[in-house]
Amino acid sequence: MSHRIIQIHVRRGVGDLHQKLKRITPVVDKWPVGPDGLSYALLVRTQDVQAVTDRLHSLFMEKHIVRIVIQPVEAVLPKPITLVAAVASQEDAGVKSPRTFSGISRDELYADVARGAEISTSFLLLVVFSTIVAGIGLIENNIAVVIGAMVIAPLLGPNLALGLATALGDLDLMVNAVKTMLVGFLVALALSCGLGLVWGHFWPLDLYSPELLSRTEVGFDSIALALVSGAAAVLSLASGISSVLVGVMVAVALLPPGATMGIMLGAGRYDLALGAGLLLAVNIVCVNLSAKLVFLFKGVQPRTWMEKQKAMRGMILYMIFWAISLGLLAYVIILRMGQGL
């Protein structure tokens, strides 16, 4: 069982902090930090962090809170079974907190995902490096090299950030995610297109490499794979199990089909480029749609009523947009199958 330490620091004039914190359950333990009585640390189970932080916001006005810091805990002594009993006794004695969100807290999730929506030098370099790695692996038909590019996966971050932004109704994060996604894809497309031109000019370019051709074919199995993999990515993030992400990056890779599309455009094979572009579009749509569904299932939502209403309106429009997009892509796939493409 994992735990977090929630440290709250308040301004003077809020009253007896210790007495107010007694009204918060379930808390495994708490202790003062510093001699002034304005800072306390709360030991909380990971699944209770969201309920506790929301309760802190309801007990104290925003202007009275200096900061709230959430830290992961590597280990706790005594053993967790004793802590579970302590929490159970607290819950029996008081009112149980609703657990609409059973993973890491909203704020932790936001901090993790928002980093993927930033256009930084590191992000651009990762896009460049992974595109080069993917392009060479695709052309040389080297699956190990292609998997290496998949694991880097810089383009997965903005898509997950977009899903979280709509769940929270955060317009700024939404705009940043869309901008980062567009910049990343344009850089990857331009670089892979140039790679196709240069490689074809100086060396023989095998456009029928199995690794290349596999990214120009798309069917309903591609839709199912992208939906499930996108859901697994968000579920692993929201639950705090980041080790699953590597497998997800490989399963629903966005960059290899984008690199294939650029290489085929550079080589003048627009028919094959269209197939790769269709696969890329399917992956993007399915990742965003499944991300939203998982955020909805996990109960990820803003704290206040007004923010919840705003996020709900955005969520409806968001899901309608991606559902219609997926329907159109499925129709295109059916047409291509009818034409034997």
Side-chain angles (χ1 to χ4, degrees):
M1 180 183 297
S2 60
H3 296 80
R4 296 287 194 272
I5 289 178
I6 304 175
Q7 186 170 322
I8 180 170
H9 180 58
V10 297
R11 304 184 192 279
R12 294 188 183 277
V14 299
D16 191 334
L17 180 59
H18 177 73
Q19 290 298 322
K20 287 193 173 185
L21 292 179
K22 283 184 177 180
R23 298 158 61 182
I24 298 179
T25 57
V27 175
V28 177
D29 196 7
K30 57 180 175 291
W31 58 90
V33 179
D36 56 6
L38 298 178
S39 298
Y40 258 81
L42 311 176
L43 180 63
V44 181
R45 294 181 300 175
T46 298
Q47 62 264 38
D48 297 323
V49 170
Q50 191 62 74
V52 172
T53 53
D54 286 347
R55 183 65 173 143
L56 288 173
H57 281 288
S58 67
L59 285 176
F60 303 99
M61 298 177 64
E62 289 292 337
K63 64 180 181 180
H64 289 152
I65 299 176
V66 177
R67 68 180 57 87
I68 295 176
V69 180
I70 303 173
Q71 299 173 309
V73 176
E74 293 293 334
V76 179
L77 296 175
K79 293 181 179 180
I81 187 171
T82 306
L83 299 176
V84 172
V87 171
S89 64
Q90 285 183 340
E91 292 181 342
D92 290 340
V95 178
K96 294 185 178 181
S97 301
R99 293 179 185 171
T100 57
F101 185 67
S102 59
I104 62 175
S105 69
R106 178 196 313 116
D107 304 294
E108 291 176 277
L109 182 60
Y110 187 94
D112 288 339
V113 173
R115 285 193 292 267
E118 298 175 357
I119 302 177
S120 62
T121 303
S122 297
F123 172 78
L124 294 175
L125 287 176
L126 284 176
V127 172
V128 170
F129 294 155
S130 56
T131 301
I132 294 174
V133 171
I136 294 175
L138 290 167
I139 294 172
E140 293 291 336
N141 193 36
N142 190 324
I143 188 171
V145 176
V146 176
I147 291 176
M150 293 176 179
V151 173
I152 299 174
L155 299 179
L156 186 60
N159 284 273
L160 297 180
L162 181 59
L164 180 62
T166 55
L168 298 179
D170 191 323
L171 184 59
D172 291 336
L173 180 59
M174 195 181 307
V175 171
N176 289 336
V178 171
K179 282 167 45 179
T180 304
M181 192 190 313
L182 290 176
V183 169
F185 279 121
L186 288 176
V187 170
L189 187 62
L191 188 58
S192 57
C193 187
L195 186 63
L197 284 170
V198 173
W199 196 290
H201 183 75
F202 291 100
W203 299 281
L205 180 60
D206 183 12
L207 295 179
Y208 297 99
S209 159
E211 285 298 315
L212 271 175
L213 287 180
S214 66
R215 268 79 188 183
T216 64
E217 300 170 355
V218 56
F220 289 104
D221 56 336
S222 303
I223 295 178
L225 176 62
L227 283 171
V228 173
S229 300
V234 179
L235 189 60
S236 64
L237 278 174
S239 303
I241 312 174
S242 58
S243 59
V244 181
L245 278 177
V246 173
V248 172
M249 292 170 183
V250 175
V252 66
L254 300 175
L255 205 143
T260 301
M261 181 180 177
I263 291 171
M264 293 303 181
L265 287 174
R269 289 300 305 270
Y270 305 115
D271 54 335
L272 295 178
L274 180 61
L278 182 59
L279 177 60
L280 176 62
V282 165
N283 285 348
I284 292 173
V285 170
C286 289
V287 165
N288 280 276
L289 181 58
S290 60
K292 183 56 203 167
L293 290 173
V294 172
F295 282 135
L296 183 64
F297 170 76
K298 294 288 288 184
V300 180
Q301 57 185 345
R303 182 173 57 87
T304 65
W305 183 85
M306 288 294 293
E307 291 174 335
K308 287 179 182 178
Q309 297 304 306
K310 177 183 174 184
M312 181 62 68
R313 290 192 295 269
M315 178 200 70
I316 294 173
L317 294 175
Y318 180 90
M319 294 187 67
I320 290 175
F321 172 78
W322 290 117
I324 292 175
S325 299
L326 184 58
L328 292 175
L329 290 173
Y331 180 68
V332 173
I333 291 173
I334 293 174
L335 290 180
R336 286 174 58 87
M337 287 179 174
Q339 297 172 1
L341 297 177

